[in-house]
mmCIF file of all heavy atoms in Angstrom:
data_model
loop_
_atom_site.group_PDB
_atom_site.id
_atom_site.type_symbol
_atom_site.label_atom_id
_atom_site.label_comp_id
_atom_site.label_asym_id
_atom_site.label_seq_id
_atom_site.Cartn_x
_atom_site.Cartn_y
_atom_site.Cartn_z
ATOM 1 N N HIS A 1 43.234 -43.747 55.303
ATOM 2 C CA HIS A 1 43.653 -45.148 55.461
ATOM 3 C C HIS A 1 43.790 -45.845 54.108
ATOM 4 O O HIS A 1 43.495 -47.038 53.975
ATOM 5 C CB HIS A 1 42.654 -45.898 56.351
ATOM 6 C CG HIS A 1 42.409 -45.238 57.664
ATOM 7 N ND1 HIS A 1 43.287 -45.316 58.726
ATOM 8 C CD2 HIS A 1 41.385 -44.432 58.078
ATOM 9 C CE1 HIS A 1 42.804 -44.620 59.751
ATOM 10 N NE2 HIS A 1 41.660 -44.075 59.376
ATOM 11 N N ALA A 2 44.247 -45.106 53.101
ATOM 12 C CA ALA A 2 44.360 -45.669 51.756
ATOM 13 C C ALA A 2 45.545 -46.627 51.629
ATOM 14 O O ALA A 2 45.508 -47.580 50.856
ATOM 15 C CB ALA A 2 44.481 -44.551 50.724
ATOM 16 N N GLY A 3 46.620 -46.382 52.344
ATOM 17 C CA GLY A 3 47.808 -47.228 52.245
ATOM 18 C C GLY A 3 47.638 -48.540 52.988
ATOM 19 O O GLY A 3 46.714 -48.718 53.783
ATOM 20 N N ILE A 4 48.543 -49.477 52.714
ATOM 21 C CA ILE A 4 48.501 -50.775 53.401
ATOM 22 C C ILE A 4 49.906 -51.099 53.941
ATOM 23 O O ILE A 4 50.539 -52.076 53.530
ATOM 24 C CB ILE A 4 47.989 -51.888 52.464
ATOM 25 C CG1 ILE A 4 46.770 -51.422 51.666
ATOM 26 C CG2 ILE A 4 47.615 -53.132 53.276
ATOM 27 C CD1 ILE A 4 46.213 -52.452 50.726
ATOM 28 N N PRO A 5 50.416 -50.268 54.849
ATOM 29 C CA PRO A 5 51.734 -50.549 55.426
ATOM 30 C C PRO A 5 51.649 -51.660 56.468
ATOM 31 O O PRO A 5 50.578 -51.955 56.990
ATOM 32 C CB PRO A 5 52.101 -49.221 56.086
ATOM 33 C CG PRO A 5 50.772 -48.682 56.536
ATOM 34 C CD PRO A 5 49.799 -49.071 55.437
ATOM 35 N N HIS A 6 52.767 -52.280 56.745
ATOM 36 C CA HIS A 6 52.817 -53.256 57.841
ATOM 37 C C HIS A 6 54.278 -53.540 58.170
ATOM 38 O O HIS A 6 55.187 -52.890 57.668
ATOM 39 C CB HIS A 6 52.069 -54.534 57.497
ATOM 40 C CG HIS A 6 51.344 -55.131 58.677
ATOM 41 N ND1 HIS A 6 51.841 -55.084 59.960
ATOM 42 C CD2 HIS A 6 50.156 -55.786 58.759
ATOM 43 C CE1 HIS A 6 50.992 -55.677 60.786
ATOM 44 N NE2 HIS A 6 49.961 -56.102 60.081
ATOM 45 N N GLY A 7 54.480 -54.535 59.000
ATOM 46 C CA GLY A 7 55.825 -54.904 59.407
ATOM 47 C C GLY A 7 55.779 -55.620 60.732
ATOM 48 O O GLY A 7 54.713 -56.020 61.213
ATOM 49 N N GLY A 8 56.947 -55.757 61.350
ATOM 50 C CA GLY A 8 56.976 -56.410 62.650
ATOM 51 C C GLY A 8 58.356 -56.925 62.990
ATOM 52 O O GLY A 8 59.343 -56.642 62.295
ATOM 53 N N PHE A 9 58.394 -57.700 64.074
ATOM 54 C CA PHE A 9 59.654 -58.152 64.640
ATOM 55 C C PHE A 9 59.517 -59.590 65.128
ATOM 56 O O PHE A 9 58.492 -59.963 65.694
ATOM 57 C CB PHE A 9 60.048 -57.296 65.850
ATOM 58 C CG PHE A 9 59.959 -55.806 65.619
ATOM 59 C CD1 PHE A 9 58.746 -55.136 65.778
ATOM 60 C CD2 PHE A 9 61.078 -55.083 65.241
ATOM 61 C CE1 PHE A 9 58.657 -53.770 65.570
ATOM 62 C CE2 PHE A 9 60.989 -53.707 65.040
ATOM 63 C CZ PHE A 9 59.777 -53.060 65.194
ATOM 64 N N VAL A 10 60.552 -60.385 64.897
ATOM 65 C CA VAL A 10 60.722 -61.664 65.584
ATOM 66 C C VAL A 10 61.970 -61.517 66.427
ATOM 67 O O VAL A 10 63.057 -61.218 65.916
ATOM 68 C CB VAL A 10 60.890 -62.838 64.601
ATOM 69 C CG1 VAL A 10 61.227 -64.119 65.366
ATOM 70 C CG2 VAL A 10 59.623 -63.043 63.794
ATOM 71 N N ILE A 11 61.815 -61.684 67.724
ATOM 72 C CA ILE A 11 62.932 -61.510 68.658
ATOM 73 C C ILE A 11 63.068 -62.787 69.481
ATOM 74 O O ILE A 11 62.095 -63.277 70.055
ATOM 75 C CB ILE A 11 62.692 -60.303 69.590
ATOM 76 C CG1 ILE A 11 62.437 -59.034 68.765
ATOM 77 C CG2 ILE A 11 63.885 -60.099 70.527
ATOM 78 C CD1 ILE A 11 61.987 -57.842 69.585
ATOM 79 N N HIS A 12 64.278 -63.313 69.531
ATOM 80 C CA HIS A 12 64.557 -64.524 70.307
ATOM 81 C C HIS A 12 65.733 -64.233 71.235
ATOM 82 O O HIS A 12 66.782 -63.760 70.791
ATOM 83 C CB HIS A 12 64.912 -65.692 69.383
ATOM 84 C CG HIS A 12 65.122 -66.991 70.104
ATOM 85 N ND1 HIS A 12 64.129 -67.939 70.236
ATOM 86 C CD2 HIS A 12 66.209 -67.499 70.739
ATOM 87 C CE1 HIS A 12 64.604 -68.972 70.904
ATOM 88 N NE2 HIS A 12 65.866 -68.725 71.217
ATOM 89 N N SER A 13 65.534 -64.491 72.501
ATOM 90 C CA SER A 13 66.646 -64.350 73.454
ATOM 91 C C SER A 13 66.925 -65.716 74.067
ATOM 92 O O SER A 13 66.001 -66.463 74.387
ATOM 93 C CB SER A 13 66.314 -63.336 74.550
ATOM 94 O OG SER A 13 65.180 -63.733 75.293
ATOM 95 N N GLY A 14 68.211 -66.039 74.172
ATOM 96 C CA GLY A 14 68.588 -67.337 74.706
ATOM 97 C C GLY A 14 69.889 -67.262 75.486
ATOM 98 O O GLY A 14 70.641 -66.288 75.389
ATOM 99 N N LYS A 15 70.144 -68.298 76.223
ATOM 100 C CA LYS A 15 71.320 -68.360 77.096
ATOM 101 C C LYS A 15 72.317 -69.405 76.585
ATOM 102 O O LYS A 15 71.928 -70.428 76.015
ATOM 103 C CB LYS A 15 70.906 -68.737 78.513
ATOM 104 C CG LYS A 15 69.896 -67.808 79.173
ATOM 105 C CD LYS A 15 70.547 -66.539 79.657
ATOM 106 C CE LYS A 15 69.565 -65.711 80.480
ATOM 107 N NZ LYS A 15 70.183 -64.459 80.984
ATOM 108 N N THR A 16 73.607 -69.134 76.814
ATOM 109 C CA THR A 16 74.648 -70.142 76.653
ATOM 110 C C THR A 16 75.584 -70.055 77.846
ATOM 111 O O THR A 16 75.549 -69.093 78.609
ATOM 112 C CB THR A 16 75.464 -69.939 75.359
ATOM 113 O OG1 THR A 16 76.105 -68.659 75.408
ATOM 114 C CG2 THR A 16 74.582 -70.035 74.123
ATOM 115 N N GLY A 17 76.441 -71.051 77.951
ATOM 116 C CA GLY A 17 77.369 -71.110 79.087
ATOM 117 C C GLY A 17 76.855 -72.075 80.143
ATOM 118 O O GLY A 17 75.640 -72.210 80.340
ATOM 119 N N TRP A 18 77.790 -72.771 80.827
ATOM 120 C CA TRP A 18 77.405 -73.788 81.808
ATOM 121 C C TRP A 18 76.559 -73.193 82.931
ATOM 122 O O TRP A 18 75.729 -73.877 83.518
ATOM 123 C CB TRP A 18 78.645 -74.475 82.378
ATOM 124 C CG TRP A 18 79.389 -75.270 81.336
ATOM 125 C CD1 TRP A 18 80.603 -74.991 80.799
ATOM 126 C CD2 TRP A 18 78.920 -76.456 80.690
ATOM 127 N NE1 TRP A 18 80.940 -75.934 79.851
ATOM 128 C CE2 TRP A 18 79.930 -76.849 79.768
ATOM 129 C CE3 TRP A 18 77.773 -77.240 80.795
ATOM 130 C CZ2 TRP A 18 79.807 -77.977 78.968
ATOM 131 C CZ3 TRP A 18 77.647 -78.361 80.000
ATOM 132 C CH2 TRP A 18 78.665 -78.720 79.094
ATOM 133 N N ASN A 19 76.786 -71.943 83.218
ATOM 134 C CA ASN A 19 75.988 -71.275 84.248
ATOM 135 C C ASN A 19 74.979 -70.299 83.644
ATOM 136 O O ASN A 19 74.464 -69.420 84.347
ATOM 137 C CB ASN A 19 76.918 -70.526 85.216
ATOM 138 C CG ASN A 19 77.847 -71.458 85.953
ATOM 139 O OD1 ASN A 19 77.421 -72.490 86.473
ATOM 140 N ND2 ASN A 19 79.136 -71.120 85.974
ATOM 141 N N GLU A 20 74.750 -70.448 82.345
ATOM 142 C CA GLU A 20 73.819 -69.568 81.621
ATOM 143 C C GLU A 20 74.164 -68.099 81.832
ATOM 144 O O GLU A 20 73.290 -67.253 82.003
ATOM 145 C CB GLU A 20 72.368 -69.846 82.038
ATOM 146 C CG GLU A 20 71.903 -71.252 81.701
ATOM 147 C CD GLU A 20 70.422 -71.454 81.945
ATOM 148 O OE1 GLU A 20 69.830 -70.634 82.678
ATOM 149 O OE2 GLU A 20 69.861 -72.417 81.401
ATOM 150 N N GLU A 21 75.466 -67.817 81.791
ATOM 151 C CA GLU A 21 75.921 -66.459 82.090
ATOM 152 C C GLU A 21 75.873 -65.525 80.886
ATOM 153 O O GLU A 21 75.976 -64.305 81.033
ATOM 154 C CB GLU A 21 77.349 -66.489 82.652
ATOM 155 C CG GLU A 21 78.426 -66.971 81.679
ATOM 156 C CD GLU A 21 78.658 -68.464 81.727
ATOM 157 O OE1 GLU A 21 77.715 -69.202 82.115
ATOM 158 O OE2 GLU A 21 79.764 -68.908 81.372
ATOM 159 N N ASN A 22 75.694 -66.084 79.691
ATOM 160 C CA ASN A 22 75.705 -65.257 78.488
ATOM 161 C C ASN A 22 74.329 -65.232 77.819
ATOM 162 O O ASN A 22 73.739 -66.277 77.541
ATOM 163 C CB ASN A 22 76.748 -65.777 77.493
ATOM 164 C CG ASN A 22 78.159 -65.673 78.050
ATOM 165 O OD1 ASN A 22 78.540 -64.631 78.562
ATOM 166 N ND2 ASN A 22 78.917 -66.759 77.969
ATOM 167 N N THR A 23 73.870 -64.023 77.556
ATOM 168 C CA THR A 23 72.560 -63.833 76.917
ATOM 169 C C THR A 23 72.762 -63.361 75.485
ATOM 170 O O THR A 23 73.595 -62.503 75.216
ATOM 171 C CB THR A 23 71.718 -62.787 77.682
ATOM 172 O OG1 THR A 23 71.502 -63.244 79.022
ATOM 173 C CG2 THR A 23 70.374 -62.562 77.000
ATOM 174 N N HIS A 24 71.992 -63.921 74.563
ATOM 175 C CA HIS A 24 72.066 -63.543 73.155
ATOM 176 C C HIS A 24 70.665 -63.173 72.676
ATOM 177 O O HIS A 24 69.693 -63.849 73.009
ATOM 178 C CB HIS A 24 72.604 -64.703 72.315
ATOM 179 C CG HIS A 24 73.835 -65.331 72.876
ATOM 180 N ND1 HIS A 24 75.093 -64.826 72.683
ATOM 181 C CD2 HIS A 24 73.987 -66.427 73.682
ATOM 182 C CE1 HIS A 24 75.983 -65.580 73.314
ATOM 183 N NE2 HIS A 24 75.329 -66.559 73.923
ATOM 184 N N VAL A 25 70.583 -62.120 71.896
ATOM 185 C CA VAL A 25 69.298 -61.676 71.362
ATOM 186 C C VAL A 25 69.384 -61.633 69.841
ATOM 187 O O VAL A 25 70.269 -60.990 69.273
ATOM 188 C CB VAL A 25 68.900 -60.284 71.901
ATOM 189 C CG1 VAL A 25 67.574 -59.833 71.284
ATOM 190 C CG2 VAL A 25 68.796 -60.301 73.422
ATOM 191 N N ILE A 26 68.501 -62.363 69.186
ATOM 192 C CA ILE A 26 68.401 -62.367 67.722
ATOM 193 C C ILE A 26 67.140 -61.602 67.353
ATOM 194 O O ILE A 26 66.056 -61.893 67.872
ATOM 195 C CB ILE A 26 68.303 -63.803 67.179
ATOM 196 C CG1 ILE A 26 69.524 -64.635 67.600
ATOM 197 C CG2 ILE A 26 68.169 -63.799 65.657
ATOM 198 C CD1 ILE A 26 69.376 -66.120 67.285
ATOM 199 N N GLU A 27 67.267 -60.614 66.466
ATOM 200 C CA GLU A 27 66.097 -59.842 66.062
ATOM 201 C C GLU A 27 66.034 -59.743 64.534
ATOM 202 O O GLU A 27 67.018 -59.420 63.877
ATOM 203 C CB GLU A 27 66.117 -58.439 66.666
ATOM 204 C CG GLU A 27 64.903 -57.601 66.257
ATOM 205 C CD GLU A 27 64.780 -56.301 67.035
ATOM 206 O OE1 GLU A 27 65.423 -56.169 68.104
ATOM 207 O OE2 GLU A 27 64.036 -55.410 66.575
ATOM 208 N N TYR A 28 64.857 -60.038 64.013
ATOM 209 C CA TYR A 28 64.590 -59.912 62.580
ATOM 210 C C TYR A 28 63.388 -58.994 62.436
ATOM 211 O O TYR A 28 62.392 -59.164 63.135
ATOM 212 C CB TYR A 28 64.280 -61.285 61.979
ATOM 213 C CG TYR A 28 63.903 -61.274 60.519
ATOM 214 C CD1 TYR A 28 64.879 -61.214 59.527
ATOM 215 C CD2 TYR A 28 62.578 -61.346 60.124
ATOM 216 C CE1 TYR A 28 64.534 -61.219 58.180
ATOM 217 C CE2 TYR A 28 62.223 -61.353 58.783
ATOM 218 C CZ TYR A 28 63.209 -61.285 57.818
ATOM 219 O OH TYR A 28 62.858 -61.287 56.482
ATOM 220 N N SER A 29 63.506 -58.007 61.568
ATOM 221 C CA SER A 29 62.400 -57.054 61.452
ATOM 222 C C SER A 29 62.101 -56.737 59.992
ATOM 223 O O SER A 29 62.950 -56.876 59.115
ATOM 224 C CB SER A 29 62.726 -55.753 62.206
ATOM 225 O OG SER A 29 63.776 -55.041 61.567
ATOM 226 N N LEU A 30 60.859 -56.319 59.770
ATOM 227 C CA LEU A 30 60.410 -55.868 58.460
ATOM 228 C C LEU A 30 59.650 -54.561 58.619
ATOM 229 O O LEU A 30 58.875 -54.391 59.554
ATOM 230 C CB LEU A 30 59.465 -56.903 57.822
ATOM 231 C CG LEU A 30 60.057 -58.238 57.382
ATOM 232 C CD1 LEU A 30 58.939 -59.177 56.962
ATOM 233 C CD2 LEU A 30 61.045 -58.045 56.253
ATOM 234 N N LYS A 31 59.861 -53.643 57.693
ATOM 235 C CA LYS A 31 59.095 -52.403 57.628
ATOM 236 C C LYS A 31 58.620 -52.263 56.192
ATOM 237 O O LYS A 31 59.421 -52.033 55.282
ATOM 238 C CB LYS A 31 59.954 -51.201 58.034
ATOM 239 C CG LYS A 31 59.164 -49.894 58.083
ATOM 240 C CD LYS A 31 60.033 -48.744 58.553
ATOM 241 C CE LYS A 31 59.236 -47.446 58.605
ATOM 242 N NZ LYS A 31 60.088 -46.294 59.033
ATOM 243 N N LEU A 32 57.328 -52.401 55.995
ATOM 244 C CA LEU A 32 56.778 -52.548 54.649
ATOM 245 C C LEU A 32 55.846 -51.393 54.306
ATOM 246 O O LEU A 32 54.872 -51.137 55.016
ATOM 247 C CB LEU A 32 55.997 -53.861 54.550
ATOM 248 C CG LEU A 32 56.686 -55.114 55.136
ATOM 249 C CD1 LEU A 32 55.739 -56.303 55.082
ATOM 250 C CD2 LEU A 32 57.978 -55.403 54.385
ATOM 251 N N ASP A 33 56.124 -50.719 53.189
ATOM 252 C CA ASP A 33 55.205 -49.692 52.701
ATOM 253 C C ASP A 33 53.914 -50.307 52.192
ATOM 254 O O ASP A 33 52.845 -49.711 52.289
ATOM 255 C CB ASP A 33 55.853 -48.885 51.574
ATOM 256 C CG ASP A 33 56.744 -47.765 52.086
ATOM 257 O OD1 ASP A 33 56.742 -47.514 53.310
ATOM 258 O OD2 ASP A 33 57.448 -47.151 51.263
ATOM 259 N N SER A 34 54.014 -51.503 51.608
ATOM 260 C CA SER A 34 52.829 -52.169 51.063
ATOM 261 C C SER A 34 52.845 -53.636 51.474
ATOM 262 O O SER A 34 53.618 -54.429 50.940
ATOM 263 C CB SER A 34 52.785 -52.055 49.535
ATOM 264 O OG SER A 34 51.754 -52.875 49.009
#
């Protein structure tokens, strides 16, 4: 366990359209060696 890796994700899903017929997913991620 000498290393200190980390990372993660922020994911947002939302709707648009008068009937909320369209779904959008925004994802931001990090993968960190240190």
Side-chain angles (χ1 to χ4, degrees):
H1 306 282
I4 316 180
H6 217 325
F9 312 84
V10 173
I11 305 171
H12 184 96
S13 61
K15 302 283 188 179
T16 61
W18 295 110
N19 297 313
E20 297 188 342
E21 66 270 26
N22 296 312
T23 299
H24 312 278
V25 178
I26 301 171
E27 180 170 343
Y28 176 81
S29 68
L30 291 172
K31 184 177 180 181
L32 314 175
D33 277 352
S34 171

